């Protein structure tokens, strides 16, 4: 299975400079989900900014999420598809307010136990390895271990964060359903080309594993 990609956008105050990049990213066909991080002084301003950024994504069937707001009803008023929550949020209240109409994913999972507790709720995915609020990114080896463990045992989809392009192949090999990229993607001159390359790497990795698994074992015939 080739994983789909989730975009973690950087913090955005003025959407105008980002709009061409969002259009280009949407045109790649690689994105399934985008987690938007927009700053605004009022709900009305937030809605205007999100409408600008979300439109090209949603027109390309990319689900747009935000961090859990104080009032979950705000998600619908903003026209977004769901919430990326933290394990420390009130998940019970979010499930009650958002499900089944909207997406609810959970990150900030500090342990296997915390991940399993989240997975027992009516959520759509768990995420491992994403950057913390202070910018710290968990070691890639830990993210690989958690993603492989989860993908092997549980039915709730998993998102594994790729801190750079080189990490896409080993994360694909875990069997994770989604790979999250960014905000480092936006540091590239052409984020869309970088995303397309990430997708190519993921597809190539899956194809190589399929070919290896279907190749005849000549050694065993000796």
């Amino acid at each position: 299975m080739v994983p789909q990609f989730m975009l973690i956008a950087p913090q955005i105050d003025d959407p105008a400079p980002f709009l061409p990049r969002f259009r280009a990213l949407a045109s790649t066909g690689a994105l399934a989900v985008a987690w938007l991080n927009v700053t605004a002084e009022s709900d009305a301003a937030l809605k205007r900014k999100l409408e600008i950024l979300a439109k090209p994504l949603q027109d390309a069937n990319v689900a747009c999420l935000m961090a859990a707001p104080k009032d979950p009803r705000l998600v619908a008023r903003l026209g977004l598809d769901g919430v990326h929550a933290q394990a420390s949020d009130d998940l019970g209240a979010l499930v009650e307010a958002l499900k089944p109409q909207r997406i609810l994913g959970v990150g900030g999972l500090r342990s296997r136990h915390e991940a399993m507790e989240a997975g027992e709720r009516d959520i759509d995915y768990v995420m491992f390895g994403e950057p913390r609020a202070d910018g710290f990114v968990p070691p890639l080896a830990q993210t690989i271990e958690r993603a492989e463990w989860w993908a092997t045992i549980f039915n709730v989809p998993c998102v594994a964060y790729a801190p750079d392009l080189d990490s896409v192949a080993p994360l694909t090999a875990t069997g994770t359903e989604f790979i999250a990229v960014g905000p480092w993607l936006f540091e590239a001159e052409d984020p869309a080309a970088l995303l397309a390359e990430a997708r190519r790497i993921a597809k190539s990795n899956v194809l190589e594993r399929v070919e290896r698994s279907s190749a005849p074992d000549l050694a065993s015939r000796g």
Side-chain angles (χ1 to χ4, degrees):
M1 176 193 68
V2 179
Q4 296 178 293
F5 284 86
M6 176 179 181
L7 174 69
I8 300 179
Q11 188 176 83
I12 296 173
D13 179 55
D14 180 5
F18 286 87
L19 185 55
R21 293 186 174 190
F22 273 62
R23 286 173 176 156
L25 289 165
S27 71
T28 65
L31 288 180
V33 187
W35 174 12
L36 304 178
N37 181 12
V38 175
T39 60
E41 296 180 354
S42 67
D43 290 351
L46 183 61
K47 182 175 176 61
R48 287 195 300 272
K49 293 180 181 183
L50 284 170
E51 284 176 346
I52 293 171
L53 292 175
K55 187 178 189 312
L57 296 169
Q58 291 176 323
D59 285 350
N61 295 317
V62 178
C64 292
L65 313 181
M66 68 181 297
K70 292 182 180 178
D71 182 358
R73 293 173 297 181
L74 180 63
V75 180
R77 296 200 294 268
L78 294 174
L80 296 184
D81 301 289
V83 162
H84 176 83
Q86 299 296 301
S88 55
D89 290 328
D90 186 346
L91 298 184
L94 288 170
V95 168
E96 183 176 353
L98 297 172
K99 302 300 295 181
Q101 292 86 0
R102 283 177 164 74
I103 296 168
L104 176 58
V106 180
L109 300 162
R110 295 167 294 183
S111 66
R112 287 188 175 195
H113 178 70
E114 206 167 52
M116 288 188 290
E117 284 189 331
E120 290 174 354
R121 298 181 179 271
D122 183 16
I123 65 171
D124 296 285
Y125 67 81
V126 296
M127 179 186 283
F128 298 112
E130 78 274 24
R132 297 176 186 170
D134 61 2
F136 174 79
V137 178
L140 178 60
Q142 176 181 305
T143 303
I144 290 173
E145 182 272 327
R146 291 283 166 85
E148 191 168 40
W149 161 71
W150 187 271
T152 302
I153 300 173
F154 300 97
N155 293 324
V156 175
C158 170
V159 183
Y161 178 72
D164 52 37
L165 191 64
D166 290 340
S167 59
V168 170
L171 288 173
T172 300
T174 67
T176 186
E177 288 88 354
F178 296 87
I179 292 177
V181 291
W184 55 268
L185 198 72
F186 288 85
E187 297 173 4
E189 188 173 326
D190 189 345
L194 195 58
L195 176 61
E197 175 63 9
R199 187 187 195 190
R200 185 201 65 77
I201 291 170
K203 285 185 173 181
S204 177
N205 182 274
V206 170
L207 181 60
E208 288 176 4
R209 286 189 286 128
V210 169
E211 289 176 345
R212 285 198 300 269
S213 65
S214 61
D217 186 355
L218 299 181
S220 65
R221 298 181 184 182

